């Protein structure tokens, strides 16, 4: 077989044309990418992933700000993918500290970022890991400490050179970039190389320019593109190629310095870092386990040169920019300098403790400058848990220092330059949530040197100059995001003191990035947009592993093509035959699982009821109910509302004789209304609906409404229309495509308008109750709820908007389902006169005509009870139950149902099960009779089951029995002459009968 495989494969490939081969290749790559990038279980959440490219963020913003926006949606820990790189982004002081300090050992490694790996090859201080990093860092810290006695003197000396070179500008506008970079770099050069370089040294200036451009390119779009797709980019031309050319130039320079040190090395005297390292190499010569060799010396020296120049120099440039932009702050710093240091001597580190305002300004510069906004990436050395999420070994961690530096809960004015953040009673105040040099074992090893440079350079410059914006120029805080967040090139005037500067215009923040859309043709753009949308749709709607079987899905539309909106029951029945009792479906943007059969329905609603107790966020319901009330709410809110409602309804007679009397009284009103028709054809809809609604109205409003009340009749018609319109195709399309349909006309817009009318009606009732409310005497549901609001002590559980939502739920649910069932019952009686005759004969035998029916008669009216149950079964009012949503990951019948999945329980599959019902498609009361007695069947659950079963079931059963028997006690219902009645339902929230007319002939 193996020998035959390759010839067969070659033969197959030969038959494929180029286009087909390309399609196969693309599909193959997409599958590989999908498998490679899928998030492990319990991994931090994140934005939608797209094939090959990973995460799309807001590219109009710098990366650290784009990621910061995601915290609002995903919290303080989330994941993103850029090409082949996956990052977990950690935000907030507590979370960052947990990762960098408490789990420092776990997050001690550096990830394999392709560009840095290409440059450093795992050597040096920044990119090395494990033993090699510990060995190098320990040596660097010890060496810098041994040389630290000279730090301050070197910085003071260099500050004199810097002041002199700035004096040469004579107060004219100049760009301080490379003067400051030269000064700062000279400090690290004197430590590593043993000498400084003149500011006019062309070769050194060229190196500084190469270093700046290298850092800029590493952080640029091209650098990130290389990191995301190294396997493609390494073969392509582009600006990123300059990175490698510049790095070779820097390496050549450092190698020359090392060679020169080797020539005149004195083993008895170590003057700088390279000398110390060469001695360490000699010390471990012949030790194969040692990582002290020239390759590491080269990389660690380059690390020191890079980090010891760019970050501190960038911070000082930000400092001068802020001083020029805020002259009043600059003036206060200069006053403190004059008071502590004066003009006759250089500043020293001993002055720092006496200069709290200057120290506060420098700290605020570091906070607002935010030089390394995302820290340096870390990598997990072993599996760990962070904030309850599982981070497997090798996970790359990105710590958002931006989220700390601009935390609104920590800083009084986070977006404003305000030195008062670091002052308390005039003294410098250390802030815990201030990590400009990171934290933990991989914090910046040069922090002490950097703080020394920042203080002495800054004070020395403000001692001699006042920095101002050039005349008629506005300063800008626009920045470039490379490896550091550095200000865009700017010019300042360094006016020798004493001189009075002017206050420049308030700086503005121009947009960061611009894209050359003009160079893209409309056709290309449309193709790109289509491909992008197809990929986005695929990624958003793809099924997780072991998801229930799903039919072929059309992009954007889902399985709409499989559903007959006029009779969805038939569509679901057809799919159940093909895919089994559990299958998945997509309706536009909504994904759900359909569950059929008693075993699985019971598994979902009863056995795993706690997991499937929530309601889904269906756009139509969300717009109407806003996750409030009894039907659409979830969690604690739903439990509190349901518990209160059940208790209150019981207090007002639910399940008691008093409520039965109310229903009997309403039955008499309904009989009288039917008698007024005098046996002529009429539509019973509004009369039946009014009667049923009056029962629930007496409980919630404390009064009933006359059948001739035109306002209430209009409200009932509006409620009926709303229920029916929910089944309209435009309403279903709104659920599937809300972002489009909300701008289009259709049934959904009428639904919203009707709901506003209904809510206004209920609000009027509530306001009227509030006017004459007596907390010691509750008359109805609204009174009781107002009392609960008064006791709620400011919590969000019981509020007036919740009262409105609960009342509307009770009014709709307590009216439409029961009234629809009664209308079905009258329709079936008219169409099956022989069954109606048997019901009337039983009523006459048990009750007679002299008294009204009572609930206690139910036990003796076996056939009548069976007919009512058969009406409920055959009418199938709520065929797919009210949707549920998985509150947590679950497994049903071995299939994986992820948290948030909408679950529909197919009650139709129970009510029409051929294995349970003798004639499931026929109206046959014998289904509920056994030996002439009423027989309740397990498969009969029209009110659902479990904790979210209909809370009005007791009331509905009482109403159905009493209204039905009262009407058949007094009337015989007949089809009008020359009329054909239909059993075809109207699809809405409930399956109601089509409008019809019948004759109620008095008996």
């Amino acid at each position: 077989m193996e020998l035959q495989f390759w010839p067969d494969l070659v033969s197959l490939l030969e038959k494929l044309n180029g286009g087909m081969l390309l399609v196969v290749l693309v599909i193959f790559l997409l599958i590989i990418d999908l498998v490679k990038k899928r998030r492990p279980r319990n991994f931090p959440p994140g934005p939608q992933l797209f094939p090959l490219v990973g995460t799309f963020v807001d590219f109009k913003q710098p990366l650290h700000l784009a990621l910061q926006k995601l915290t609002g949606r995903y919290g303080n820990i989330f994941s993103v993918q850029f090409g082949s790189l996956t990052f977990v982004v950690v935000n907030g002081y507590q979370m960052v500290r947990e990762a960098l300090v408490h789990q420092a050992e776990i997050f001690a490694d550096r990830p394999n970022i392709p560009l840095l790996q290409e440059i450093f090859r795992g050597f040096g201080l920044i990119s090395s890991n494990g033993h090699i990093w510990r060995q190098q860092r320990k040596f660097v810290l010890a060496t810098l400490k041994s040389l630290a006695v000279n730090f301050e003197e070197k910085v003071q000396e260099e500050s004199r050179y810097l002041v002199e070179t700035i004096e040469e500008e004579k107060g004219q506008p100049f760009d301080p970039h490379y003067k400051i970079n030269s000064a700062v770099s000279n400090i690290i050069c004197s430590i590593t190389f043993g000498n400084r370089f003149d500011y006019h040294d062309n070769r050194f200036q060229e190196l500084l320019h190469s270093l700046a451009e290298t850092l800029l390119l590493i952080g640029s779009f091209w650098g990130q593109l290389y990191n995301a797709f190294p396997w493609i980019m390494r073969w392509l031309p582009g600006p990123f190629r300059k990175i490698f050319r510049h790095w070779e130039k820097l390496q050549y320079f450092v190698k020359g310095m090392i060679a020169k040190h080797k020539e005149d090395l004195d083993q008895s005297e170590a003057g700088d870092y390279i000398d110390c390292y060469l001695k360490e190499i000699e010390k471990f010569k012949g030790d194969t386990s040692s990582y002290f060799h020239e390759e590491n010396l080269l990389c660690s020296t380059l690390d020191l040169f890079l980090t010891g120049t760019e970050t501190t120099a960038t911070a000082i440039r930000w400092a001068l920019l802020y001083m020029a932009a805020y002259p009043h702050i600059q003036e206060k710093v200069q006053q403190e300098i004059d008071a502590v240091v004066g003009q006759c001597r250089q500043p020293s580190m001993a002055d720092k403790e006496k200069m709290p305002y200057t120290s506060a300004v420098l700290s605020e510069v570091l906070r607002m400058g935010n030089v390394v906004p995302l820290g340096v990436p870390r990598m997990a050395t072993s599996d760990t848990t962070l904030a309850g999420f599982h981070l497997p070994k090798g996970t790359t961690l990105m710590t958002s220092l931006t989220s700390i530096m601009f935390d609104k809960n920590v800083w009084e004015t986070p977006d404003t330059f305000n030195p008062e953040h670091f002052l308390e009673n005039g003294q410098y105040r250390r802030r815990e949530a201030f990590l400009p040099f990171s934290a933990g074992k991989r914090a910046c090893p040069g922090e002490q040197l950097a703080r020394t440079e920042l203080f002495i350079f800054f004070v020395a410059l403000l001692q001699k100059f006042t920095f101002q914006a050039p005349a008629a120029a506005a300063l800008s805080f626009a920045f470039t995001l490379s490896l550091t967040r550095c200000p865009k090139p700017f010019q300042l005037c360094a006016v020798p003191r004493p001189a009075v500067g002017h206050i420049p215009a308030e700086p503005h923040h121009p947009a960061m990035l611009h894209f050359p859309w003009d160079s893209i043709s409309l056709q290309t753009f449309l193709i790109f947009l289509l491909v992008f949308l197809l990929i986005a749709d695929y990624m958003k709607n793809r099924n997780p592993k072991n998801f229930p079987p799903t039919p072929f899905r059309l992009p954007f539309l889902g399985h709409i093509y499989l559903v007959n909106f006029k009779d969805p029951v038939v569509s679901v029945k057809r799919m159940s035959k093909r895919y089994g009792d559990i299958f998945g479906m997509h309706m536009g943007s909504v994904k759900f699982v359909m569950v059929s059969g008693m075993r699985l329905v019971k598994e979902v609603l009863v056995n795993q009821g706690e997991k499937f107790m929530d309601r889904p966020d269906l756009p139509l319901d969300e717009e109407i109910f806003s996750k409030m009330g009894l039907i659409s709410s979830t969690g604690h809110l739903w439990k509190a509302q349901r518990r209160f409602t059940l208790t209150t309804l019981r207090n007002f007679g639910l399940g008691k004789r008093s409520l039965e009397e109310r229903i009997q009284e309403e039955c008499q009103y309904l009989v009288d209304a039917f008698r007024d028709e005098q046996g002529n054809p009429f539509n019973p809809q509004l009369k039946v609906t009014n009667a049923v609604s009056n029962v629930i109205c007496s409980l919630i409003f404390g009064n009933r409404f006359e059948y001739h009340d035109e306002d209430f009749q209009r409200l009932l018609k509006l409620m009926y229309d709303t229920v029916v319109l929910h089944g309209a195709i435009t309403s279903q399309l709104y659920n599937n495509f809300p972002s489009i349909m909300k701008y289009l006309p259709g049934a959904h817009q009428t639904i919203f308008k009707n709901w506003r009318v209904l809510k206004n009606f209920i609000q009027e009732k509530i306001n009227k109750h509030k006017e004459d409310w007596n907390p010691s005497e509750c008359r109805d549901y609204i009174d009781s709820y107002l009392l609960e609001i008064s006791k709620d002590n400011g919590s969000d559980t019981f509020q007036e908007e919740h009262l409105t939502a609960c009342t509307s739920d009770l009014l709709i649910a307590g009216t439409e389902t029961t009234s629809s069932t009664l209308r079905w019952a009258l329709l079936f009686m008219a169409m099956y006169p022989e069954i109606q005759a048997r019901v009337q004969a039983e009523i006459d035998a048990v009750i007679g005509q002299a008294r009204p029916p009572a609930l206690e008669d139910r036990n003796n009216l076996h056939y009548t009870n069976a007919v009512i149950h058969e009406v409920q079964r055959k009418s199938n009012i709520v065929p797919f139950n009210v949707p549920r949503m998985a509150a947590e990951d679950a497994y049903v019948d071995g299939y994986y149902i992820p948290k948030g999945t909408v679950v529909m329980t197919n009650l139709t599959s129970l009510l029409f099960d051929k294995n349970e019902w003798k004639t499931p498609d026929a109206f046959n009361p014998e289904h509920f009779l056994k030996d002439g007695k009423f027989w309740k069947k397990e498969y009969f659950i029209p009110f659902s089951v479990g904790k979210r079963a209909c809370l009005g079931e007791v009331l509905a059963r009482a109403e159905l029995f009493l209204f039905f028997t009262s009407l058949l006690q007094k009337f015989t219902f007949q089809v009008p002459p020359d009329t054909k009645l239909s059993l075809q339902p109207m699809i809405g929230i409930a399956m109601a009968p089509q409008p019809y007319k019948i004759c109620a002939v008095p008996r």
Side-chain angles (χ1 to χ4, degrees):
M1 286 296 290
E2 290 182 4
L3 293 176
Q4 292 177 355
F5 173 76
W6 287 110
D8 290 345
L9 179 60
V10 171
S11 175
L12 176 62
L13 292 175
E14 286 175 348
K15 294 177 182 178
L16 294 176
N17 58 34
M20 286 294 294
L21 191 59
L22 183 62
V23 170
V24 171
L25 179 61
V26 169
I27 292 173
F28 174 76
L29 290 175
L30 289 174
I31 293 172
I32 292 295
D33 183 74
L34 176 65
V35 172
K36 182 179 178 182
K37 289 182 181 175
R38 59 182 176 181
R39 292 183 174 111
R41 192 170 185 180
N42 199 30
F43 198 65
Q48 185 64 51
L49 301 178
F50 298 93
L52 303 180
V53 297
T55 302
F56 276 106
V57 295
D58 185 356
F59 290 111
K60 293 182 180 179
Q61 287 190 310
L63 181 61
H64 66 291
L65 297 180
L67 294 177
Q68 191 66 23
K69 285 177 66 176
L70 297 178
T71 59
R73 182 173 183 183
Y74 300 104
N76 280 339
I77 179 170
F78 57 86
S79 60
V80 292
Q81 289 186 3
F82 302 118
S84 59
L85 298 177
T86 300
F87 296 93
V88 169
V89 184
V90 174
N91 301 271
Y93 175 70
Q94 296 299 333
M95 192 75 72
V96 170
R97 184 174 177 81
E98 171 66 24
L100 300 187
V101 179
H102 299 156
Q103 298 197 42
E105 287 292 341
I106 292 175
F107 294 107
D109 277 4
R110 295 290 187 212
N112 295 322
I113 306 295
L115 207 49
L116 298 182
Q117 189 68 22
E118 185 80 20
I119 292 171
F120 293 105
R121 298 180 296 282
F123 293 119
L125 294 164
I126 296 177
S127 296
S128 59
N129 285 322
H131 176 65
I132 180 173
W133 165 71
R134 291 183 177 87
Q135 193 183 60
Q136 299 301 307
R137 182 182 174 89
K138 184 178 180 182
F139 172 77
V140 169
L141 287 173
T143 304
L144 292 179
K145 189 175 182 180
S146 69
L147 299 172
V149 290
N150 299 319
F151 276 4
E152 189 172 343
E153 293 177 7
K154 290 180 187 295
V155 179
Q156 287 174 324
E157 180 186 5
E158 195 61 43
S159 68
R160 285 198 299 270
Y161 289 116
L162 180 59
V163 167
E164 289 172 4
T165 192
I166 291 178
E167 281 177 342
E168 294 173 1
E169 302 296 337
K170 298 180 180 180
Q172 297 301 310
F174 75 104
D175 185 345
H177 187 160
Y178 287 103
K179 295 183 188 298
I180 292 173
N181 275 40
S182 295
V184 174
S185 188
N186 270 339
I187 304 301
I188 198 67
C189 285
S190 64
I191 292 170
T192 54
F193 306 139
N195 63 276
R196 64 177 297 277
F197 296 88
D198 189 81
Y199 293 3
H200 303 292
D201 185 321
N202 290 334
R203 186 188 178 202
F204 185 61
Q205 290 298 311
E206 185 181 344
L207 284 174
L208 290 179
H209 279 77
S210 295
L211 178 63
E213 190 172 12
T214 298
L215 295 176
L216 184 64
L217 287 169
I218 289 176
S220 71
F221 169 76
W222 289 100
Q224 298 312 309
L225 202 60
Y226 187 96
N227 282 332
F229 309 104
W231 42 279
I232 296 176
M233 297 300 293
R234 65 167 53 105
W235 305 107
L236 300 177
F240 62 90
R241 290 285 170 198
K242 281 187 178 181
I243 296 172
F244 305 126
R245 290 199 295 272
H246 287 329
W247 203 251
E248 287 175 4
K249 190 184 297 182
L250 290 166
Q251 284 183 320
Y252 181 78
F253 170 75
V254 174
K255 284 178 180 178
M257 285 293 183
I258 294 172
K260 188 176 179 181
H261 275 67
K262 287 168 69 176
E263 288 175 7
D264 51 15
L265 179 65
D266 184 351
Q267 292 288 347
S268 63
E269 185 178 333
D272 53 42
Y273 177 78
I274 292 179
D275 279 348
C276 295
Y277 205 104
L278 289 172
K279 287 182 180 181
E280 205 71 10
I281 291 174
E282 189 64 29
K283 179 180 174 182
F284 287 96
K285 195 174 183 179
D287 185 352
T288 56
S289 65
S290 171
Y291 287 99
F292 288 100
H293 48 68
E294 282 195 32
E295 184 76 13
N296 249 329
L297 170 57
L298 172 65
C299 289
S300 61
T301 304
L302 284 165
D303 281 344
L304 290 171
F305 182 58
L306 184 155
T307 57
T309 298
E310 193 59 30
T311 51
T312 306
T314 298
I316 294 174
R317 285 193 288 136
W318 277 118
L320 298 185
L321 185 58
Y322 280 116
M323 292 305 95
Y326 299 101
H328 62 287
I329 294 177
Q330 180 176 206
E331 185 179 354
K332 288 185 70 174
V333 172
Q334 289 173 327
Q335 288 173 356
E336 191 173 62
I337 291 172
D338 292 345
V340 176
V341 183
Q343 292 285 332
C344 299
R345 68 172 177 87
Q346 282 193 299
S348 67
M349 291 304 292
D351 298 320
K352 189 174 182 181
E353 291 186 5
K354 304 170 189 175
M355 301 174 68
Y357 190 77
T358 303
S359 298
V361 168
L362 283 172
S363 293
E364 184 68 356
V365 165
L366 290 175
R367 186 189 74 82
M368 284 290 289
N370 193 20
V371 174
V372 189
L374 293 172
V376 184
R378 309 288 180 95
M379 184 174 71
T381 58
S382 60
D383 290 358
T384 188
T385 299
L386 191 62
F389 293 106
H390 173 63
L391 273 58
K393 179 181 178 180
T395 299
T396 299
L397 192 76
M398 195 181 286
T399 51
S400 174
L401 301 186
T402 304
S403 67
I404 301 174
M405 302 292 198
F406 295 86
D407 190 334
K408 293 181 180 179
N409 297 317
V410 174
W411 310 98
E412 292 79 3
T413 55
D415 300 318
T416 304
F417 186 83
N418 180 9
E420 298 297 327
H421 289 144
F422 294 91
L423 290 171
E424 189 171 27
N425 299 323
Q427 299 300 310
Y428 181 75
R429 172 190 179 193
R430 296 184 182 278
R431 302 295 293 262
E432 187 180 17
F434 179 61
L435 304 175
F437 298 97
S438 192
K441 294 193 174 183
R442 287 206 83 143
C444 174
E447 179 176 352
Q448 182 185 347
L449 173 60
R451 290 188 181 278
T452 302
E453 291 176 305
L454 281 171
F455 181 79
I456 292 179
F457 278 128
F458 181 71
V459 173
L461 289 173
L462 266 71
Q463 182 187 38
K464 300 298 182 184
F465 305 101
T466 295
F467 292 92
Q468 300 175 354
L475 296 177
S476 169
F477 292 115
F479 60 89
T480 301
L481 190 64
S482 57
L483 281 185
T484 59
R485 179 184 176 273
C486 51
K488 285 196 170 185
F490 62 89
Q491 289 198 332
L492 293 174
C493 296
V495 181
R497 295 183 66 204
V500 180
H502 71 282
I503 300 176
E506 191 66 23
H508 64 281
H509 299 265
M512 283 299 302
L513 298 177
H514 303 276
F515 294 96
W517 297 115
D518 293 341
S519 63
I520 301 175
S521 69
L522 179 61
Q523 183 180 9
T524 303
F525 174 75
L526 290 176
I527 292 172
F528 169 79
L529 182 62
L530 177 61
V531 172
F532 173 81
L533 291 174
L534 286 170
I535 293 172
D537 180 75
Y538 165 75
M539 295 301 295
K540 180 181 179 182
N541 294 292
R542 61 180 177 172
N543 293 330
K545 190 176 181 180
N546 201 30
F547 194 72
T550 306
F552 172 75
R553 179 186 171 278
L554 290 177
F556 312 123
L557 301 177
H559 299 105
I560 285 179
Y561 71 101
L562 293 175
V563 177
N564 178 359
F565 285 96
K566 292 183 178 179
D567 196 351
V569 172
V570 173
S571 302
V572 171
K573 184 178 180 180
R574 184 174 62 248
M575 283 185 276
S576 295
K577 283 184 178 179
R578 181 169 182 180
Y579 298 102
D581 282 344
I582 180 170
F583 60 89
M585 287 192 73
H586 297 256
M587 300 297 286
S589 60
V590 180
K591 177 194 291 186
F592 63 89
V593 171
M594 181 68 72
V595 174
S596 303
M598 174 56 80
R599 181 177 64 87
L600 294 187
V601 168
K602 191 174 181 180
E603 175 69 20
V604 168
L605 301 183
V606 180
N607 300 343
Q608 296 194 53
E610 289 288 341
K611 294 181 179 179
F612 296 102
M613 195 176 289
D614 283 358
R615 293 292 188 213
D617 299 326
L618 297 177
L620 202 60
D621 293 342
E622 181 75 16
E623 182 72 23
I624 295 169
F625 297 107
S626 303
K627 301 293 287 183
M628 293 187 290
L630 294 162
I631 297 175
S632 294
S633 60
T634 58
H636 169 71
L637 179 62
W638 166 72
K639 291 176 182 175
Q641 303 298 322
R642 183 182 174 93
R643 188 185 310 115
F644 169 80
T645 299
L646 280 173
T647 301
T648 303
L649 292 180
R650 289 189 186 110
N651 291 341
F652 288 107
L654 184 64
K656 300 177 183 177
R657 176 65 185 167
S658 57
L659 184 59
E660 181 182 353
E661 291 174 354
R662 288 194 202 184
I663 301 172
Q664 287 174 321
E665 180 185 359
E666 194 63 45
C667 288
Q668 187 57 50
Y669 285 118
L670 182 60
V671 167
D672 292 342
F674 273 34
R675 188 175 285 116
D676 290 341
E677 299 296 336
Q678 299 178 355
N680 296 315
F682 75 103
N683 185 345
Q685 178 192 322
L686 284 178
K687 297 182 189 299
V688 170
T689 304
N690 202 331
V692 172
S693 188
N694 272 342
V695 176
I696 194 67
C697 284
S698 66
L699 291 172
I700 57 180
F701 302 136
N703 64 274
R704 63 180 296 277
F705 296 88
E706 293 296 334
Y707 295 178
H708 303 294
D709 185 324
E710 292 184 0
D711 291 337
F712 191 63
Q713 290 291 302
R714 279 195 295 271
L715 187 74
L716 292 177
K717 187 176 186 309
L718 179 144
M719 287 168 54
Y720 171 77
D721 291 343
T722 301
V723 169
V724 172
L725 287 172
H726 268 77
I729 188 166
T730 51
S731 300
Q732 298 306 309
L733 288 174
Y734 183 91
N735 273 334
N736 300 321
F737 310 103
S739 57
I740 298 173
M741 293 301 296
K742 67 182 177 183
Y743 299 109
L744 299 178
H748 56 291
Q749 303 291 3
T750 305
I751 290 172
F752 300 147
K753 183 180 70 176
N754 289 353
W755 271 106
R756 287 193 291 271
V757 174
L758 177 61
K759 287 180 180 178
N760 288 338
F761 169 79
I762 292 171
Q763 189 61 54
E764 288 176 7
K765 290 292 182 182
I766 294 172
N767 292 339
K768 190 174 180 181
H769 275 67
K770 288 163 70 175
E771 290 174 4
D772 53 6
W773 177 60
N774 182 358
S776 62
E777 185 180 339
C778 290
R779 300 160 294 181
D780 48 44
Y781 179 82
I782 292 179
D783 274 354
S784 300
Y785 206 107
L786 290 172
L787 179 62
E788 200 67 20
I789 291 174
S790 69
K791 298 188 300 185
D792 200 28
N793 297 322
S795 80
D796 293 335
T797 306
F798 291 95
Q799 294 183 342
E800 198 166 307
E801 57 183 349
H802 294 309
L803 168 57
T804 303
C806 289
T807 305
S808 64
D809 282 347
L810 288 172
L811 185 59
I812 287 281
T815 298
E816 283 304 318
T817 51
T818 305
S819 64
S820 293
T821 306
L822 280 172
R823 287 189 289 123
W824 277 114
L826 300 183
L827 182 61
F828 281 121
M829 293 303 94
M831 295 184 71
Y832 296 96
E834 71 283 1
I835 294 176
Q836 179 176 204
R838 285 189 63 183
V839 170
Q840 290 171 325
E842 188 176 58
I843 291 172
D844 292 345
V846 174
I847 303 172
Q849 291 287 327
R851 67 172 178 86
L855 288 178
E856 62 184 14
D857 296 322
R858 190 159 41 186
N859 295 330
N860 298 318
L861 293 170
H862 298 283
Y863 189 78
T864 303
N865 205 7
V867 168
I868 293 173
H869 280 70
E870 181 66 358
V871 167
Q872 288 182 273
R873 184 193 73 83
K874 193 70 171 66
S875 60
N876 191 20
I877 294 289
V878 188
F880 305 120
N881 208 344
V882 185
R884 305 287 183 94
M885 183 176 72
E888 58 183 270
D889 291 353
Y891 285 88
V892 176
D893 204 30
Y895 291 108
Y896 173 58
I897 312 294
K899 178 181 177 180
T901 303
V902 179
V903 178
M904 306 282 285
T905 48
N906 183 9
L907 300 186
T908 306
S909 66
L910 277 60
L911 298 177
F912 291 82
D913 191 326
K914 291 182 179 180
N915 297 319
E916 180 67 15
W917 312 96
K918 187 175 181 181
T919 55
D921 298 321
F923 184 79
N924 181 5
E926 298 297 327
H927 288 143
F928 293 92
L929 292 169
K930 189 174 185 180
D931 299 328
K933 302 291 185 183
F934 175 76
W935 181 32
K936 178 73 177 287
K937 306 195 75 168
E938 182 187 11
Y939 277 54
F940 180 76
I941 51 171
F943 298 98
S944 189
V945 289
K947 293 190 175 181
R948 285 206 83 143
C950 174
L951 62 78
E953 180 177 353
V954 173
L955 174 61
R957 288 187 184 281
E959 289 178 306
L960 284 172
F961 179 79
L962 293 174
F963 279 120
F964 181 74
T965 52
S966 295
L967 289 172
L968 266 72
Q969 181 188 40
K970 301 299 181 183
F971 303 100
T972 296
F973 293 93
Q974 299 174 355
V975 180
D978 303 321
T979 301
K980 185 177 181 181
L981 299 180
S982 171
L983 293 176
Q984 184 65 34
M986 292 183 66
I987 307 297
I989 293 178
M991 297 259 279
Q994 299 276 355
Y996 63 85
K997 288 185 176 182
I998 55 172
C999 299
V1001 179
R1003 293 183 63 199

